Amino acid sequence: MSESATKTPEAAAPHPPRSSRTRALALGVLASGMLMIVLDGSIVTVAMPAIQDDLGFSPAGLSWVVNAYLIAFGSLLLLAGRLGDLLGRKRMFLAGTGVFTAASLLAGAATSPAVLIAARFLQGVGSAMAAAVSLGILVTLFTEPGERARAIAVFSFTGAAGASIGQVVGGLLTDALSWHWIFFINLPIGLAALALAVRVLPGGGDARTGPRGLAAGADVMGALLITAGLMLGIYTVVEVERYGWVSGHTLGLGALAVALIGAFVARQATARTPLMPLRILRSRTVVGANAVQMLMVAALFSFQIILALHLQRVLGYGAGETGLAMLPAAIVIGAVSLGVSARLIARFGERNVLLTGLLLLITLLVLLSRVPVHADYVTDLLPLMLLAAGFGLALPALTSLGMSGAGEEDAGLASGLFNTAQQIGMAVGVAVLSTLAASRSERMLAGGASEAEALTGGYHLAFGVGAGLLVAAFAVAFAVLRPRTR
């Protein structure tokens, strides 16, 4: 393994701000930016019916309110992460937050489907620019292991609990005001984050960053190949429910996406200034953590979205009620990730904490696959929310592992790669679990089952498959990730 591949962020990091208060504010800025991005991904789900009624979306067109964001976000993370290394991560974070905030204003003011979809695509672009470098900034700010573990716990909490909080906020805003406010709420958060980021984020600039760094490290062809490949691949996956897995559309575009990504990897092995130096893939920990990330995120789509659908379509909850029903999970996740995860990681190591979290999540999905049709929230669902503590254990440990093998010069790339794996996992989870659930529900309806029984049967299948994906994630973590040497 090359020296650059084994060099740790601690060894190569620029001098972080000396003031602990400044670093705490910087962490708050990064966490707020991530919370805004995660909220935007989940806050839309509960407002979709209102958006459809107001703007006149067709059922097929409505899915693009989510898909436009997902395609832009997932396909640009890797490129944005590397550009952050070359241009400066602070510059990339500021630019991304600015684009996202402006696009949120456009989305909130949209009066037609075309404008809203375009605004959602721009939100995805801004989210990718900001999210791709956030972890890279964090690991250079906090170099002492205990501090870094606590900082990653805070950052991971915004990702784990943000989805549930987004459903609460989205439901309340939609019911109390209108769907427009699920986007307008980003404006004060984004402007405050920008104002603070200018003051407290480290510049991280030297001769290697800025225009000179870009000129020295640009790989235009590689950038085109990976962006086109990821965009086409994510588009193909999100359209599976419409075209089917074995259609010419899916197989043809899927093959082209794989060819583009393969061409990108081949170019990186020979390019003089590769966009993604392949040394980052020599770290067994980085590769294993990203594989676990994809499997886990794909599985947990069933908890975050399928459970919300069950509450609304089977149990008859409204948007606000659904958000409040998911709130205990967010509270448990926050208590575990902020309160105990860092101490457990320091004592037992990231791998053991990750495995424990995965076991809790497997139990959660297995039990959800057995929830009765007319479930009682207090006796059947509320106790299961406690098992969401697995999020609070698994995500901080996994984030730490995903960033542990990258040198300072590749921290932005490692951050972009980790977030890209997350978005690919989400796209696959959406395509696989929603398609399986819908197919089983249709078969049960055709067999004479009631609508509630058919929907519940489809959701049970999604929970069961999600549990299987988590078992695969556990196996990869156990076999590939090495225990930390104490």
Side-chain angles (χ1 to χ4, degrees):
M1 185 181 296
S2 67
E3 182 181 354
S4 60
T6 58
K7 182 169 54 177
T8 63
E10 291 90 340
H15 295 293
R18 294 182 180 179
S19 167
S20 59
R21 180 176 179 272
T22 301
R23 284 189 295 157
L25 287 173
L27 175 59
V29 168
L30 297 174
S32 296
M34 180 55 64
L35 179 62
M36 189 167 58
I37 291 167
V38 173
L39 283 176
D40 195 75
S42 62
I43 203 171
V44 175
T45 57
V46 295
M48 296 282 271
I51 292 173
Q52 183 176 19
D53 292 341
D54 190 28
L55 297 185
F57 270 98
S58 66
L62 185 65
S63 66
W64 281 96
V65 176
V66 174
N67 292 346
Y69 178 87
L70 183 61
I71 290 171
F73 188 26
S75 61
L76 292 173
L77 280 163
L78 195 61
L79 174 60
R82 191 54 177 167
L83 289 179
D85 290 333
L86 299 173
L87 289 170
R89 295 178 201 123
K90 180 178 180 178
R91 293 187 185 101
M92 186 61 65
F93 182 87
L94 290 172
T97 303
V99 170
F100 179 86
T101 304
S104 296
L105 176 60
L106 179 62
T111 56
S112 70
V115 171
L116 181 57
I117 290 173
R120 290 287 289 162
F121 187 88
L122 288 175
Q123 279 189 309
V125 173
S127 295
M129 295 169 67
V133 296
S134 294
L135 279 172
I137 296 173
L138 187 149
V139 298
T140 57
L141 270 173
F142 299 90
T143 57
E144 191 273 322
E147 283 187 334
R148 178 178 292 180
R150 289 188 290 272
I152 286 178
V154 172
F155 189 83
S156 298
F157 163 71
T158 63
S164 297
I165 296 172
Q167 291 173 329
V168 177
V169 174
L172 294 177
L173 287 175
T174 301
D175 287 345
L177 298 172
S178 72
W179 66 264
H180 300 274
W181 285 91
I182 69 174
F183 299 113
F184 287 148
I185 195 176
N186 292 327
L187 300 183
I189 301 174
L191 292 173
L194 283 170
L196 273 176
V198 171
R199 294 175 48 207
V200 302
L201 291 187
D206 58 25
R208 295 172 300 170
T209 61
R212 290 184 181 180
L214 182 61
D219 176 17
V220 176
M221 180 56 69
L224 292 174
L225 287 170
I226 190 58
T227 302
L230 287 173
M231 191 170 290
L232 187 60
I234 295 172
Y235 165 78
T236 303
V237 171
V238 299
E239 287 286 270
V240 160
E241 189 172 1
R242 178 181 177 187
Y243 290 99
W245 286 100
V246 294
S247 66
H249 179 276
T250 300
L251 296 178
L253 293 185
L256 180 56
V258 170
L260 288 170
I261 295 173
F264 166 76
V265 173
R267 178 172 175 79
Q268 300 315 287
T270 58
R272 184 174 64 87
T273 56
L275 179 72
M276 187 184 78
L278 296 183
R279 62 176 176 263
I280 197 171
L281 300 180
R282 296 173 189 163
S283 169
R284 177 171 176 167
T285 300
V286 169
V287 173
N290 279 280
V292 172
Q293 163 98 314
M294 282 192 284
L295 290 166
M296 188 172 77
V297 171
L300 294 179
F301 166 80
S302 63
F303 176 79
Q304 294 176 337
I305 304 299
I306 299 293
L307 181 56
L309 290 174
H310 179 82
L311 291 170
Q312 293 186 63
R313 298 178 65 185
V314 177
L315 300 184
Y317 284 31
E321 291 174 312
T322 299
L324 291 173
M326 301 289 285
L327 185 58
I331 294 173
V332 170
I333 292 167
V336 173
S337 60
L338 298 179
V340 300
S341 65
R343 292 197 293 272
L344 292 175
I345 288 171
R347 181 169 182 179
F348 300 107
E350 293 92 343
R351 177 178 179 266
N352 290 331
V353 173
L354 171 61
L355 293 174
T356 302
L358 288 173
L359 283 175
L360 289 175
L361 294 174
I362 290 169
T363 306
L364 169 62
L365 293 190
V366 168
L367 292 177
L368 282 174
S369 70
R370 301 174 62 85
V371 166
V373 175
H374 301 293
D376 179 77
Y377 179 77
V378 174
T379 58
D380 295 319
L381 294 175
L382 183 58
L384 301 186
M385 297 294 175
L386 299 177
L387 294 172
F391 284 94
L393 294 176
L395 282 177
L398 191 57
T399 303
S400 181
L401 288 165
M403 294 298 296
S404 64
E408 193 277 332
E409 73 277 16
D410 293 330
L413 174 61
S415 176
L417 181 63
F418 189 76
N419 283 289
T420 299
Q422 183 181 81
Q423 294 307 307
I424 292 173
M426 184 180 298
V428 171
V430 170
V432 173
L433 298 181
S434 60
T435 301
L436 290 174
S439 298
R440 183 168 187 179
S441 295
E442 290 174 2
R443 290 196 302 270
M444 292 181 67
L445 281 172
S450 68
E451 182 178 5
E453 291 171 338
L455 288 172
T456 302
Y459 299 153
H460 281 174
L461 178 61
F463 292 135
V465 173
L469 291 172
L470 287 176
V471 170
F474 183 95
V476 172
F478 186 84
V480 177
L481 301 178
R482 294 183 176 131
R484 186 187 66 177
T485 302
R486 295 185 62 183

